[in-house]
Amino acid sequence: MGDISRRSFLTGTAVTAGALASLGIVGCAPKTAPEASSASEAASEENVRAHAAKLNPQVETDTAATGACPSLFTEWTMGSLTLPNRVVKSAAGFIGVTSQGITGDLHMQHYGLLAKGGASIVYCDDFAELYPHFRAIPDVGKFVDWKEEELTAFVDNIHDNGSLAGYQLATMGLEFSGFQPDPTAIFQSSDCMDMTAQEISDLIADTITAAETLQRCGFDCVEINAAGENVGQTFMSRNRNKRDDEYGPQTFESRTRFVCEVVRGIKERCGKDFPIQVLINGVEENDKNIGDNALFTTVEENKAMCKLIEEAGADSLHVRIGPCGQHVAEFAGDLYFTGYGIEGTSGYGTQFDFQRHWQGMLKADQSGLGIMTKIAAEIKKAVSIPVGAVTYMDPARDPEFFESLIANGELDFILMNRPLSVDYDYLKKLEEGRLDEIRPCTRCMHCHWDSDASGNQIFSCRTNAAHPFRFASGQLTGGYEPEPASTVKNVMVVGAGPAGMEAARVAAQRGHKVTIYEKDGSLGGLLEFANNVKGPHENLAVLRNYFVKQMEVNGVEVVTNQEVDAAFINEKNPDAVVIATGGKRASLGLSSSNGTNVVSVEDFLTADIADDVVIAGSNVQAIDTAMYLLAQGKHVQVVTPSEAGAIGIGHSYWVRTYTQPTMKALGVRFWPKASVNSVGDGSITITTETGLEQELACGTLVDATDCLPNVELAEGLSVDVYTVGDCARPFNIDEAIFSGNAAARQI
């Protein structure tokens, strides 16, 4: 957040006009900064809420990072393969897209674009059932029927677009004879304790045969997933392996026997020159019960086991994070940093202390960026084969750090997923130093098991509206890249928030002549407010900079400090108008008293906030505000007419899963199905869902009631009109950008 440091928040220092201006947040900057409250300045070390925010201090990352990473674009070898750069696309499936078939247009286009993007290897997974002895756990929906010619066509597509193809052999989702499903679990999988001796033998045989099939179809390598919820990990972990046979946890040899037998079997069947990568948990931690880790795998244990895996014939190691309870954190460990002021949130209402938990070895000072690099570097010391790390590896956020990893020999390669799917041209732009043209991953996790405003399950990308699921579900038409316009039109975009700028970008990219008008002096809309309140974790200042650069790159004419009304539109006489003026904030209609100040959510940053705060509303802005104030040691309560399950709607499912338990543990009280009735002197009165009135201590009431549509400007215009973002349907940044993209494709 520029000049605004985490430490200043924690001591109650007010946000200054200068700090706001440094972010280009002209609309939010006060004329004069108010004095910080004496209560905030006196926040003690014993204050549990203030202590939580001080637990894992972060280093601010320059939002306008410059430079390149030349060492990432040097050759390296993995077994018999010579690879052109040090970036590997890690495996990630697309449920809902692969159901259309391996060679479905959306599946092929997506992987073709990933390959064209330049990663040295593109790994894929979860779309070919390769284990005939077993069946998938019901409703997992991972696998589709396939033929060898389809796998061959898929591989040819990757090769034709310039990359090598790898397949991750993963066993998560397979069902063994001893498996007892948990009907309450979102993610579940059989483990080694469910398996008979015959099933172990059959699974090893199936995996070897699968590798042989993949090799025959043209895949260049395979990866054995022995991490997370996969069977290989359950054998290697003393926490999960209680067997008393030769596959038990008694020795490192017995713990790695399953993985090593798979590796040796593939080498015997496919030849010593067919490369095998093994994915492991680099270190394990008990996130359900922090500190209870006697049986969890340490880095030292992994070093001993990795030596055995190398001896078995593995050609490289892929190191990721290893929690036990939250499956999503196994590949998105940066979720631990998603709550402003509660960095280290476990998702169970507790916090990690990164100086002590995870053996103190996570890189935990940049909001999860490169979180596993220290551990991977330590494991590399024990083996002679290449070692790479994954879990939010995003070189554009800190080019100097990622350059040093390779240049200094700490790692041999890095694995990326989300950033490469957000911007298919990421690597080309990185190599050329065009960092401000890279569309950033904002780590919102809408891409994984999320729901939209109507509660429908959806997988989307907040910043790249052209997500495969959007096409598969019929929400977006055309291709990943919008088609050129058949007729060039003069397009006026009113409002330069994320919806307006995305509409302007796509319309200009299609060939239209576009002018965007903004009533304020800078671009960004609510991105400015969101970045100020959320902090740097979601890269929203980077997203704003990206959009501003896109206006320049695509030749969009930008006009600021310009109010637009119907008369102005008629005067300019465009062929089409995109209205992106934002929603109208509903109001409680309550006034301040001597002891209770009522402020709008838009103004709370520059207000004098008391120690006891009540926030009226439970939308994204309301919950972000609650986290921000909690980080300063405020006592926060949230009153909302919404049901408990709708609190924080607009945040992704996983953001809510991680932030809200810790907020509650730190004292935030949520009052669902409740309303604010009146403002007293140092208190407010609410009606709870029981129908009873209750008085709450309240020195500041933040009015964060929901936005309403704002379509008046669109009414009565004689040109083609498209309303997008909050003015059409207030929800969140994801839906705003998607609506802008969809509208621009129709012009």
Side-chain angles (χ1 to χ4, degrees), residues 44-72:
S44 67
E45 292 292 328
E46 289 74 28
N47 184 312
V48 65
R49 296 181 296 274
H51 171 74
K54 292 177 179 177
L55 192 57
N56 296 297
Q58 300 295 296
V59 175
E60 299 292 346
T61 302
D62 186 0
T63 58
T66 58
C69 303
S71 293
L72 281 178

PDB file of all heavy atoms in Angstrom, residues 44-72:
ATOM      1  N   SER A  44      -2.625  -1.660  23.771  1.00  0.00           N
ATOM      2  CA  SER A  44      -1.565  -2.338  24.512  1.00  0.00           C
ATOM      3  C   SER A  44      -1.118  -3.603  23.813  1.00  0.00           C
ATOM      4  O   SER A  44      -1.818  -4.161  22.978  1.00  0.00           O
ATOM      5  CB  SER A  44      -2.070  -2.688  25.924  1.00  0.00           C
ATOM      6  OG  SER A  44      -3.084  -3.664  25.831  1.00  0.00           O
ATOM      7  N   GLU A  45       0.048  -4.087  24.212  1.00  0.00           N
ATOM      8  CA  GLU A  45       0.570  -5.329  23.658  1.00  0.00           C
ATOM      9  C   GLU A  45      -0.326  -6.510  24.054  1.00  0.00           C
ATOM     10  O   GLU A  45      -0.340  -7.537  23.394  1.00  0.00           O
ATOM     11  CB  GLU A  45       1.992  -5.565  24.148  1.00  0.00           C
ATOM     12  CG  GLU A  45       3.021  -4.576  23.612  1.00  0.00           C
ATOM     13  CD  GLU A  45       3.236  -4.749  22.124  1.00  0.00           C
ATOM     14  OE1 GLU A  45       3.123  -5.888  21.642  1.00  0.00           O
ATOM     15  OE2 GLU A  45       3.507  -3.744  21.450  1.00  0.00           O
ATOM     16  N   GLU A  46      -1.065  -6.364  25.157  1.00  0.00           N
ATOM     17  CA  GLU A  46      -1.897  -7.456  25.637  1.00  0.00           C
ATOM     18  C   GLU A  46      -3.212  -7.556  24.869  1.00  0.00           C
ATOM     19  O   GLU A  46      -3.947  -8.525  25.013  1.00  0.00           O
ATOM     20  CB  GLU A  46      -2.195  -7.283  27.132  1.00  0.00           C
ATOM     21  CG  GLU A  46      -0.990  -7.520  28.039  1.00  0.00           C
ATOM     22  CD  GLU A  46       0.014  -6.360  27.993  1.00  0.00           C
ATOM     23  OE1 GLU A  46      -0.405  -5.225  27.727  1.00  0.00           O
ATOM     24  OE2 GLU A  46       1.212  -6.614  28.210  1.00  0.00           O
ATOM     25  N   ASN A  47      -3.532  -6.560  24.102  1.00  0.00           N
ATOM     26  CA  ASN A  47      -4.784  -6.567  23.352  1.00  0.00           C
ATOM     27  C   ASN A  47      -4.743  -7.698  22.328  1.00  0.00           C
ATOM     28  O   ASN A  47      -3.933  -7.705  21.412  1.00  0.00           O
ATOM     29  CB  ASN A  47      -4.963  -5.215  22.652  1.00  0.00           C
ATOM     30  CG  ASN A  47      -6.289  -5.107  21.935  1.00  0.00           C
ATOM     31  OD1 ASN A  47      -6.689  -5.993  21.194  1.00  0.00           O
ATOM     32  ND2 ASN A  47      -6.966  -3.992  22.170  1.00  0.00           N
ATOM     33  N   VAL A  48      -5.628  -8.676  22.477  1.00  0.00           N
ATOM     34  CA  VAL A  48      -5.555  -9.862  21.633  1.00  0.00           C
ATOM     35  C   VAL A  48      -5.746  -9.527  20.167  1.00  0.00           C
ATOM     36  O   VAL A  48      -5.134 -10.117  19.286  1.00  0.00           O
ATOM     37  CB  VAL A  48      -6.581 -10.924  22.092  1.00  0.00           C
ATOM     38  CG1 VAL A  48      -8.007 -10.440  21.910  1.00  0.00           C
ATOM     39  CG2 VAL A  48      -6.378 -12.222  21.337  1.00  0.00           C
ATOM     40  N   ARG A  49      -6.594  -8.541  19.873  1.00  0.00           N
ATOM     41  CA  ARG A  49      -6.842  -8.207  18.477  1.00  0.00           C
ATOM     42  C   ARG A  49      -5.617  -7.529  17.868  1.00  0.00           C
ATOM     43  O   ARG A  49      -5.212  -7.840  16.741  1.00  0.00           O
ATOM     44  CB  ARG A  49      -8.088  -7.321  18.376  1.00  0.00           C
ATOM     45  CG  ARG A  49      -9.351  -8.045  18.827  1.00  0.00           C
ATOM     46  CD  ARG A  49     -10.591  -7.172  18.695  1.00  0.00           C
ATOM     47  NE  ARG A  49     -10.572  -5.998  19.550  1.00  0.00           N
ATOM     48  CZ  ARG A  49     -10.981  -5.994  20.811  1.00  0.00           C
ATOM     49  NH1 ARG A  49     -11.437  -7.113  21.354  1.00  0.00           N
ATOM     50  NH2 ARG A  49     -10.966  -4.898  21.531  1.00  0.00           N
ATOM     51  N   ALA A  50      -5.008  -6.616  18.600  1.00  0.00           N
ATOM     52  CA  ALA A  50      -3.805  -5.959  18.092  1.00  0.00           C
ATOM     53  C   ALA A  50      -2.658  -6.966  17.966  1.00  0.00           C
ATOM     54  O   ALA A  50      -1.883  -6.934  17.024  1.00  0.00           O
ATOM     55  CB  ALA A  50      -3.403  -4.800  19.000  1.00  0.00           C
ATOM     56  N   HIS A  51      -2.578  -7.883  18.938  1.00  0.00           N
ATOM     57  CA  HIS A  51      -1.499  -8.875  18.892  1.00  0.00           C
ATOM     58  C   HIS A  51      -1.630  -9.748  17.651  1.00  0.00           C
ATOM     59  O   HIS A  51      -0.634 -10.081  17.002  1.00  0.00           O
ATOM     60  CB  HIS A  51      -1.524  -9.753  20.140  1.00  0.00           C
ATOM     61  CG  HIS A  51      -0.581 -10.920  20.063  1.00  0.00           C
ATOM     62  ND1 HIS A  51       0.781 -10.771  20.184  1.00  0.00           N
ATOM     63  CD2 HIS A  51      -0.792 -12.236  19.825  1.00  0.00           C
ATOM     64  CE1 HIS A  51       1.369 -11.941  20.049  1.00  0.00           C
ATOM     65  NE2 HIS A  51       0.432 -12.855  19.824  1.00  0.00           N
ATOM     66  N   ALA A  52      -2.845 -10.127  17.304  1.00  0.00           N
ATOM     67  CA  ALA A  52      -3.039 -10.981  16.131  1.00  0.00           C
ATOM     68  C   ALA A  52      -2.496 -10.322  14.877  1.00  0.00           C
ATOM     69  O   ALA A  52      -1.890 -10.969  14.027  1.00  0.00           O
ATOM     70  CB  ALA A  52      -4.530 -11.294  15.958  1.00  0.00           C
ATOM     71  N   ALA A  53      -2.703  -9.033  14.754  1.00  0.00           N
ATOM     72  CA  ALA A  53      -2.245  -8.324  13.564  1.00  0.00           C
ATOM     73  C   ALA A  53      -0.736  -8.130  13.556  1.00  0.00           C
ATOM     74  O   ALA A  53      -0.145  -7.926  12.508  1.00  0.00           O
ATOM     75  CB  ALA A  53      -2.944  -6.967  13.471  1.00  0.00           C
ATOM     76  N   LYS A  54      -0.106  -8.201  14.721  1.00  0.00           N
ATOM     77  CA  LYS A  54       1.340  -8.024  14.799  1.00  0.00           C
ATOM     78  C   LYS A  54       2.102  -9.337  14.622  1.00  0.00           C
ATOM     79  O   LYS A  54       3.320  -9.339  14.526  1.00  0.00           O
ATOM     80  CB  LYS A  54       1.719  -7.427  16.157  1.00  0.00           C
ATOM     81  CG  LYS A  54       1.241  -5.994  16.360  1.00  0.00           C
ATOM     82  CD  LYS A  54       1.585  -5.513  17.760  1.00  0.00           C
ATOM     83  CE  LYS A  54       1.138  -4.075  17.973  1.00  0.00           C
ATOM     84  NZ  LYS A  54       1.406  -3.598  19.347  1.00  0.00           N
ATOM     85  N   LEU A  55       1.369 -10.455  14.559  1.00  0.00           N
ATOM     86  CA  LEU A  55       2.009 -11.754  14.667  1.00  0.00           C
ATOM     87  C   LEU A  55       2.967 -12.056  13.523  1.00  0.00           C
ATOM     88  O   LEU A  55       4.057 -12.576  13.745  1.00  0.00           O
ATOM     89  CB  LEU A  55       0.935 -12.850  14.741  1.00  0.00           C
ATOM     90  CG  LEU A  55       1.412 -14.244  15.140  1.00  0.00           C
ATOM     91  CD1 LEU A  55       2.121 -14.217  16.485  1.00  0.00           C
ATOM     92  CD2 LEU A  55       0.219 -15.200  15.195  1.00  0.00           C
ATOM     93  N   ASN A  56       2.579 -11.755  12.292  1.00  0.00           N
ATOM     94  CA  ASN A  56       3.397 -12.119  11.133  1.00  0.00           C
ATOM     95  C   ASN A  56       3.623 -10.887  10.263  1.00  0.00           C
ATOM     96  O   ASN A  56       2.949 -10.698   9.247  1.00  0.00           O
ATOM     97  CB  ASN A  56       2.698 -13.221  10.326  1.00  0.00           C
ATOM     98  CG  ASN A  56       2.547 -14.504  11.118  1.00  0.00           C
ATOM     99  OD1 ASN A  56       3.525 -15.130  11.509  1.00  0.00           O
ATOM    100  ND2 ASN A  56       1.305 -14.903  11.370  1.00  0.00           N
ATOM    101  N   PRO A  57       4.549 -10.009  10.639  1.00  0.00           N
ATOM    102  CA  PRO A  57       4.755  -8.757   9.891  1.00  0.00           C
ATOM    103  C   PRO A  57       5.166  -9.022   8.453  1.00  0.00           C
ATOM    104  O   PRO A  57       5.897  -9.967   8.159  1.00  0.00           O
ATOM    105  CB  PRO A  57       5.863  -8.044  10.672  1.00  0.00           C
ATOM    106  CG  PRO A  57       6.563  -9.125  11.439  1.00  0.00           C
ATOM    107  CD  PRO A  57       5.509 -10.140  11.764  1.00  0.00           C
ATOM    108  N   GLN A  58       4.679  -8.160   7.574  1.00  0.00           N
ATOM    109  CA  GLN A  58       4.896  -8.325   6.144  1.00  0.00           C
ATOM    110  C   GLN A  58       5.792  -7.222   5.587  1.00  0.00           C
ATOM    111  O   GLN A  58       5.829  -6.113   6.109  1.00  0.00           O
ATOM    112  CB  GLN A  58       3.555  -8.303   5.406  1.00  0.00           C
ATOM    113  CG  GLN A  58       2.600  -9.397   5.846  1.00  0.00           C
ATOM    114  CD  GLN A  58       3.111 -10.775   5.512  1.00  0.00           C
ATOM    115  OE1 GLN A  58       3.266 -11.115   4.343  1.00  0.00           O
ATOM    116  NE2 GLN A  58       3.370 -11.581   6.534  1.00  0.00           N
ATOM    117  N   VAL A  59       6.490  -7.556   4.525  1.00  0.00           N
ATOM    118  CA  VAL A  59       7.306  -6.592   3.797  1.00  0.00           C
ATOM    119  C   VAL A  59       6.495  -6.111   2.610  1.00  0.00           C
ATOM    120  O   VAL A  59       5.949  -6.916   1.855  1.00  0.00           O
ATOM    121  CB  VAL A  59       8.622  -7.233   3.310  1.00  0.00           C
ATOM    122  CG1 VAL A  59       9.414  -6.260   2.447  1.00  0.00           C
ATOM    123  CG2 VAL A  59       9.452  -7.703   4.494  1.00  0.00           C
ATOM    124  N   GLU A  60       6.380  -4.808   2.459  1.00  0.00           N
ATOM    125  CA  GLU A  60       5.626  -4.270   1.331  1.00  0.00           C
ATOM    126  C   GLU A  60       6.379  -4.525   0.030  1.00  0.00           C
ATOM    127  O   GLU A  60       7.595  -4.373  -0.052  1.00  0.00           O
ATOM    128  CB  GLU A  60       5.397  -2.760   1.516  1.00  0.00           C
ATOM    129  CG  GLU A  60       4.590  -2.415   2.762  1.00  0.00           C
ATOM    130  CD  GLU A  60       3.154  -2.871   2.692  1.00  0.00           C
ATOM    131  OE1 GLU A  60       2.694  -3.223   1.591  1.00  0.00           O
ATOM    132  OE2 GLU A  60       2.486  -2.893   3.744  1.00  0.00           O
ATOM    133  N   THR A  61       5.640  -4.931  -1.007  1.00  0.00           N
ATOM    134  CA  THR A  61       6.213  -5.171  -2.328  1.00  0.00           C
ATOM    135  C   THR A  61       5.853  -4.013  -3.238  1.00  0.00           C
ATOM    136  O   THR A  61       4.712  -3.546  -3.236  1.00  0.00           O
ATOM    137  CB  THR A  61       5.672  -6.484  -2.922  1.00  0.00           C
ATOM    138  OG1 THR A  61       5.978  -7.551  -2.019  1.00  0.00           O
ATOM    139  CG2 THR A  61       6.305  -6.779  -4.258  1.00  0.00           C
ATOM    140  N   ASP A  62       6.802  -3.554  -4.008  1.00  0.00           N
ATOM    141  CA  ASP A  62       6.568  -2.440  -4.921  1.00  0.00           C
ATOM    142  C   ASP A  62       5.502  -2.830  -5.936  1.00  0.00           C
ATOM    143  O   ASP A  62       5.646  -3.808  -6.669  1.00  0.00           O
ATOM    144  CB  ASP A  62       7.874  -2.078  -5.632  1.00  0.00           C
ATOM    145  CG  ASP A  62       7.746  -0.832  -6.496  1.00  0.00           C
ATOM    146  OD1 ASP A  62       6.653  -0.245  -6.546  1.00  0.00           O
ATOM    147  OD2 ASP A  62       8.752  -0.453  -7.119  1.00  0.00           O
ATOM    148  N   THR A  63       4.398  -2.069  -5.967  1.00  0.00           N
ATOM    149  CA  THR A  63       3.320  -2.393  -6.906  1.00  0.00           C
ATOM    150  C   THR A  63       3.712  -2.091  -8.344  1.00  0.00           C
ATOM    151  O   THR A  63       3.073  -2.571  -9.268  1.00  0.00           O
ATOM    152  CB  THR A  63       2.047  -1.603  -6.570  1.00  0.00           C
ATOM    153  OG1 THR A  63       2.337  -0.200  -6.601  1.00  0.00           O
ATOM    154  CG2 THR A  63       1.533  -1.978  -5.196  1.00  0.00           C
ATOM    155  N   ALA A  64       4.742  -1.300  -8.533  1.00  0.00           N
ATOM    156  CA  ALA A  64       5.199  -0.970  -9.886  1.00  0.00           C
ATOM    157  C   ALA A  64       6.569  -1.597 -10.125  1.00  0.00           C
ATOM    158  O   ALA A  64       7.511  -0.944 -10.550  1.00  0.00           O
ATOM    159  CB  ALA A  64       5.253   0.536 -10.079  1.00  0.00           C
ATOM    160  N   ALA A  65       6.664  -2.891  -9.833  1.00  0.00           N
ATOM    161  CA  ALA A  65       7.942  -3.596  -9.989  1.00  0.00           C
ATOM    162  C   ALA A  65       8.420  -3.512 -11.433  1.00  0.00           C
ATOM    163  O   ALA A  65       7.636  -3.544 -12.372  1.00  0.00           O
ATOM    164  CB  ALA A  65       7.787  -5.053  -9.565  1.00  0.00           C
ATOM    165  N   THR A  66       9.719  -3.387 -11.588  1.00  0.00           N
ATOM    166  CA  THR A  66      10.313  -3.317 -12.924  1.00  0.00           C
ATOM    167  C   THR A  66      11.421  -4.358 -13.026  1.00  0.00           C
ATOM    168  O   THR A  66      11.873  -4.916 -12.032  1.00  0.00           O
ATOM    169  CB  THR A  66      10.899  -1.921 -13.199  1.00  0.00           C
ATOM    170  OG1 THR A  66      11.891  -1.630 -12.198  1.00  0.00           O
ATOM    171  CG2 THR A  66       9.816  -0.861 -13.151  1.00  0.00           C
ATOM    172  N   GLY A  67      11.854  -4.598 -14.247  1.00  0.00           N
ATOM    173  CA  GLY A  67      12.951  -5.527 -14.464  1.00  0.00           C
ATOM    174  C   GLY A  67      12.475  -6.830 -15.058  1.00  0.00           C
ATOM    175  O   GLY A  67      11.294  -7.026 -15.328  1.00  0.00           O
ATOM    176  N   ALA A  68      13.400  -7.737 -15.251  1.00  0.00           N
ATOM    177  CA  ALA A  68      13.099  -9.047 -15.821  1.00  0.00           C
ATOM    178  C   ALA A  68      13.852 -10.095 -15.018  1.00  0.00           C
ATOM    179  O   ALA A  68      14.540  -9.781 -14.046  1.00  0.00           O
ATOM    180  CB  ALA A  68      13.491  -9.087 -17.298  1.00  0.00           C
ATOM    181  N   CYS A  69      13.713 -11.330 -15.398  1.00  0.00           N
ATOM    182  CA  CYS A  69      14.369 -12.438 -14.708  1.00  0.00           C
ATOM    183  C   CYS A  69      15.119 -13.272 -15.734  1.00  0.00           C
ATOM    184  O   CYS A  69      14.658 -14.363 -16.114  1.00  0.00           O
ATOM    185  CB  CYS A  69      13.335 -13.294 -13.984  1.00  0.00           C
ATOM    186  SG  CYS A  69      12.300 -12.413 -12.805  1.00  0.00           S
ATOM    187  N   PRO A  70      16.270 -12.809 -16.211  1.00  0.00           N
ATOM    188  CA  PRO A  70      16.947 -13.521 -17.303  1.00  0.00           C
ATOM    189  C   PRO A  70      17.292 -14.965 -16.978  1.00  0.00           C
ATOM    190  O   PRO A  70      17.269 -15.827 -17.861  1.00  0.00           O
ATOM    191  CB  PRO A  70      18.210 -12.682 -17.545  1.00  0.00           C
ATOM    192  CG  PRO A  70      18.366 -11.826 -16.334  1.00  0.00           C
ATOM    193  CD  PRO A  70      16.994 -11.587 -15.815  1.00  0.00           C
ATOM    194  N   SER A  71      17.596 -15.265 -15.717  1.00  0.00           N
ATOM    195  CA  SER A  71      17.967 -16.642 -15.378  1.00  0.00           C
ATOM    196  C   SER A  71      16.799 -17.604 -15.534  1.00  0.00           C
ATOM    197  O   SER A  71      17.003 -18.812 -15.726  1.00  0.00           O
ATOM    198  CB  SER A  71      18.505 -16.707 -13.945  1.00  0.00           C
ATOM    199  OG  SER A  71      19.746 -16.024 -13.851  1.00  0.00           O
ATOM    200  N   LEU A  72      15.577 -17.095 -15.442  1.00  0.00           N
ATOM    201  CA  LEU A  72      14.416 -17.956 -15.651  1.00  0.00           C
ATOM    202  C   LEU A  72      14.314 -18.432 -17.097  1.00  0.00           C
ATOM    203  O   LEU A  72      13.615 -19.409 -17.381  1.00  0.00           O
ATOM    204  CB  LEU A  72      13.126 -17.225 -15.277  1.00  0.00           C
ATOM    205  CG  LEU A  72      12.769 -17.119 -13.794  1.00  0.00           C
ATOM    206  CD1 LEU A  72      11.477 -16.323 -13.622  1.00  0.00           C
ATOM    207  CD2 LEU A  72      12.631 -18.484 -13.152  1.00  0.00           C
TER     208      LEU A  72
END
